[in-house]
Amino acid sequence: MTKPQAYIKDLNEFVGKEVTLKGWLYNKRSSGKVKFLILRDGTGLLQCIVFKGNVSEEVFETADSLAQEASFEVTGLVKEEKRAPGGFELDATDVKLIAASVDYPISPKDHGIEFLMDHRHLWLRSKRQAAILRIRHRIIKAMRDFFDDRGFTLFDPPILTPNACEGTSTLFETEYFDLGSAFLTQSGQLYAEAGALALGKVYTFGPTFRAEKSKTRRHLTEFWMVEPEMAFFDLDDDMDLAEEFLEYVIQTVITERKSDLDDLERDTTLLEQVKRPFPRITYEEAVKILHEKGVDFKYGDDFGAADETIISDHFQKPVMVHRWPAETKAFYMKRDENNPNLALGVDVLAPEGYGEVIGGSQREDNLDLLIERIKEHNLPQEYFEWYLDLRRYGSVPHSGFGLGLERTVAWICGLDHIRETIPFPRMIYRNTP
Amino acid sequence: MTKPQAYIKDLNEFVGKEVTLKGWLYNKRSSGKVKFLILRDGTGLLQCIVFKGNVSEEVFETADSLAQEASFEVTGLVKEEKRAPGGFELDATDVKLIAASVDYPISPKDHGIEFLMDHRHLWLRSKRQAAILRIRHRIIKAMRDFFDDRGFTLFDPPILTPNACEGTSTLFETEYFDLGSAFLTQSGQLYAEAGALALGKVYTFGPTFRAEKSKTRRHLTEFWMVEPEMAFFDLDDDMDLAEEFLEYVIQTVITERKSDLDDLERDTTLLEQVKRPFPRITYEEAVKILHEKGVDFKYGDDFGAADETIISDHFQKPVMVHRWPAETKAFYMKRDENNPNLALGVDVLAPEGYGEVIGGSQREDNLDLLIERIKEHNLPQEYFEWYLDLRRYGSVPHSGFGLGLERTVAWICGLDHIRETIPFPRMIYRNTP
């Protein structure tokens, strides 16, 4: 029987002891009578030293024969070694091949991105990709912990939906038995509103989909969103929560996954500054900043990626842009009582050019106004009757926001392209492997 | 500005103090000069006592006028009251209507299930449905904590996949730009195997889909699965983990959500017995049990729901049935070295008639044998080349299992039908609201 083995990340418990580890050959160096095997076991890397004088000829030959990504078992004495990656080394007394690896396709030389994406199932074994996935996991855990510790109930909205949250042009469609078409969700928000009115404070966390023909470094067709929704929260409460949330997630992750961020050579200076309060400016003030920088921007337009970068560079911290021209925003947003042309929405722009990571708003809670908006947006009211019920029976002020997980992973990891933030990214030109 | 309010679940911190709460009217009683308002705020229920002598006439009239599910704000003194649900009462000094509720459709009388499902967005407000959703949340948290605390990395597999895990007849299909069709995932397992060989131990946790025409109380078309996958685990290790996992989840949830389980009137006697070790029997032994009970069962068939109930009733504990006739199981399962007609798979059957909650196996790690199986199952080998790569480059013994979340929620909550285990269930005859 194969027993669960010791792992590299736990070696500090085994200093001076003999231990058996299992994994794959990450790399290898030779120096006459000694082989340096770099073992990879998914939790870290470990240099295993095989001295010709310490092992049988057969074992030395096995060590010599291992190719990149061959799987093997190694037994030896754990030594502290400050200069080694991870701080430990293994003095090997035995090496056993588990299975060979002939002509592993990803050699240490440079490969083009399409080649790496075609071999994504193997590329994930690299130090860099593994570090990103461990950071992604820690980000998700921090997000869930944040809401769990603050009295939110997780609320999983449906993925297959009968209607679109914001228009139907960018939806994946599928046949649904005898009921016609169903669409893959773009957002769990409308359902989360039903959840908030039942449970007070809820959050969704799941995959969402956009069949958008955007071929940019910020777009995936399948991406994960976290969407809190709170009864009795107004826009200011919503911004307070978004701010506390981002600070918590980023400070937790940069502390707890420091070694992975070091492996990515991520300079965390600006991330360390992600602390409350964040600047809060109106859309109008943001437009003023653009005009001061000489950008030819028309009041009433949405910001493009370049505009977002200019605005956030002005602050070097996440910046919250609130009170938008209503026509730029979705039908469900409440209007500002001081100026009905403005929607009570907020976008949070990340620094370092990562753009919008959060979009939120106070929701329209007045039945008549909401029906009016649905008509203005030419949406079929019959699909929204259940949503209107939330305003018919004990309507309350409520707010929420959505955060795009992969953009946040890219930001925290300092990645150029969103495709490395998820195990198997889906883009308009790729749905394999 | 609407400030986040106090919540019913935190009232023990406010005994003898004045507090303002916000929520909805769950129910109301009258007794001459006193109104008993049952406030619901998503975290619990609270009886608010409005004495005519203690409040202005206007406030008393407001209290009198509140209809079921009207939203309101109430201020008063928190008193301990052992006989009250939750253990507290409020001596109201002020009541303010937020928004009315006219003819709330779900009255305290009985409604048919289709009516309730059509009003699922409101039905969620009932004490029973809210309790189920809070238990669901706690189950998910326990599952994630279990893996997070044991060195697993979360690995989100793609939802849109180019091929099917187990045949193509029960798949939802969608057009994917110029790349032809994509299918909604039925399982993240094959991808998780790539993850395990990169990161050692991983788990997936996400929605999965089956376009199966099964109209039973155990089937949803959209349901959540958790799927751990571990390098260097054989079938025995896999069963050890499944056993530890189920014990942890169930013991945690019945302790931490006792009051919700009490609201559901769930008898937890058998759940308390879900402790290691679980009985482990072979498929052959399970068939013997059926034959002893007089069931006309043919060796080589899969168990039906009735068979599963008979087998699990024999033990009153989850039972692990392992070593199945290979032809009943999926192509990727490793064969028993002592009998190549048997697949190293395991099904875990829950007691009390809840059937299979876990299916797992040791995976075939031999390249040639795996190619043979793919051919035997008439699967297109070209779609599985990436999966075969996992056997070409450092193959290792590995195992995993999948647990169906909603069946587990139904089991723990003691529900007759799986439709109440998720906010908006999807079944062959329903994809609304």
Side-chain angles (χ1 to χ4, degrees), chain B residues 200-316:
Chain B
K201 296 190 291 192
V202 300
Y203 70 102
T204 73
F205 205 141
T208 54
F209 303 85
R210 281 192 201 201
E212 214 175 317
K213 291 210 165 167
S214 297
K215 195 177 166 176
T216 83
R217 60 191 182 84
R218 288 183 184 182
H219 284 89
L220 296 172
T221 57
E222 175 185 317
F223 57 101
W224 288 63
M225 288 235 286
V226 56
E227 298 180 278
E229 187 75 32
M230 299 73 64
F232 305 108
F233 270 50
D234 66 13
L235 181 65
D236 285 334
D237 300 326
D238 204 28
M239 289 197 279
D240 289 347
L241 187 78
E243 195 175 59
E244 190 186 350
F245 176 63
L246 275 184
E247 173 182 313
Y248 175 82
V249 169
I250 286 172
Q251 298 311 318
T252 301
V253 172
I254 63 175
T255 307
E256 302 222 341
R257 297 256 52 104
K258 189 176 180 323
S259 68
D260 285 325
L261 288 164
D262 287 348
D263 279 350
L264 299 178
E265 297 174 353
R266 173 65 166 135
D267 176 351
T268 57
T269 313
L270 283 176
L271 291 174
E272 285 155 29
Q273 291 172 26
V274 178
K275 295 207 171 145
R276 288 173 287 171
F278 300 165
R280 299 183 185 195
I281 61 173
T282 61
Y283 170 87
E284 194 176 331
E285 288 163 340
V287 172
K288 223 171 272 172
I289 291 171
L290 290 177
H291 287 167
E292 280 164 18
K293 307 269 175 184
V295 180
D296 180 23
F297 182 88
K298 197 167 119 262
Y299 181 98
D301 283 354
D302 202 353
F303 300 130
D307 305 319
E308 287 179 354
T309 301
I310 290 166
I311 296 162
S312 65
D313 277 353
H314 196 73
F315 296 98
Q316 305 273 308

Side-chain angles (χ1 to χ4, degrees), chain A residues 132-340:
Chain A
I132 293 169
L133 291 186
R134 280 191 294 263
I135 293 167
R136 175 187 168 98
H137 177 196
R138 196 63 191 81
I139 291 170
I140 292 169
K141 179 171 160 50
M143 290 176 172
R144 291 183 177 268
D145 287 348
F146 179 86
F147 292 117
D148 293 348
D149 291 345
R150 282 162 183 78
F152 285 69
T153 301
L154 175 67
F155 190 85
D156 293 312
I159 310 294
L160 293 165
T161 60
N163 60 305
C165 185
E166 300 177 43
T168 59
S169 61
T170 55
L171 288 172
F172 289 107
E173 187 172 353
T174 187
E175 241 180 273
Y176 196 86
F177 305 104
D178 304 330
L179 301 178
S181 287
F183 302 93
L184 299 191
T185 184
Q186 292 194 312
S187 160
Q189 178 203 315
L190 304 195
Y191 292 100
E193 290 184 49
L197 271 61
L199 295 154
K201 296 189 292 190
V202 300
Y203 70 102
T204 75
F205 205 141
T208 54
F209 302 85
R210 281 192 201 203
E212 214 176 317
K213 290 211 167 167
S214 297
K215 194 178 168 177
T216 82
R217 61 191 181 83
R218 288 183 184 182
H219 284 88
L220 295 172
T221 57
E222 175 184 317
F223 57 101
W224 288 63
M225 288 235 287
V226 56
E227 298 179 277
E229 187 75 31
M230 298 75 61
F232 305 108
F233 271 49
D234 67 11
L235 182 64
D236 285 333
D237 299 326
D238 203 28
M239 289 197 277
D240 289 347
L241 187 77
E243 195 174 59
E244 190 186 349
F245 176 63
L246 275 184
E247 174 182 313
Y248 175 83
V249 169
I250 286 173
Q251 297 311 318
T252 301
V253 173
I254 62 175
T255 307
E256 302 223 340
R257 296 256 51 105
K258 189 176 180 322
S259 69
D260 285 325
L261 289 165
D262 287 347
D263 279 349
L264 299 178
E265 297 175 351
R266 173 64 165 136
D267 176 352
T268 57
T269 312
L270 283 176
L271 291 174
E272 285 155 29
Q273 291 172 25
V274 178
K275 295 209 171 143
R276 286 173 289 171
F278 300 165
R280 298 182 186 196
I281 61 174
T282 62
Y283 171 87
E284 194 176 333
E285 287 163 338
V287 171
K288 223 171 271 170
I289 291 172
L290 290 177
H291 287 166
E292 279 165 18
K293 306 268 175 184
V295 180
D296 181 21
F297 182 88
K298 196 167 119 264
Y299 182 98
D301 283 354
D302 203 354
F303 300 129
D307 304 320
E308 288 179 354
T309 301
I310 290 166
I311 296 162
S312 65
D313 278 353
H314 195 73
F315 295 97
Q316 305 274 308
K317 249 194 188 191
V319 51
M320 306 209 267
V321 183
H322 59 89
R323 287 177 170 73
W324 291 66
E327 61 275 15
T328 64
K329 290 292 184 188
F331 75 94
Y332 50 71
M333 290 195 190
K334 194 174 174 68
R335 301 294 174 92
D336 189 346
E337 57 185 2
N338 299 313
N339 181 350

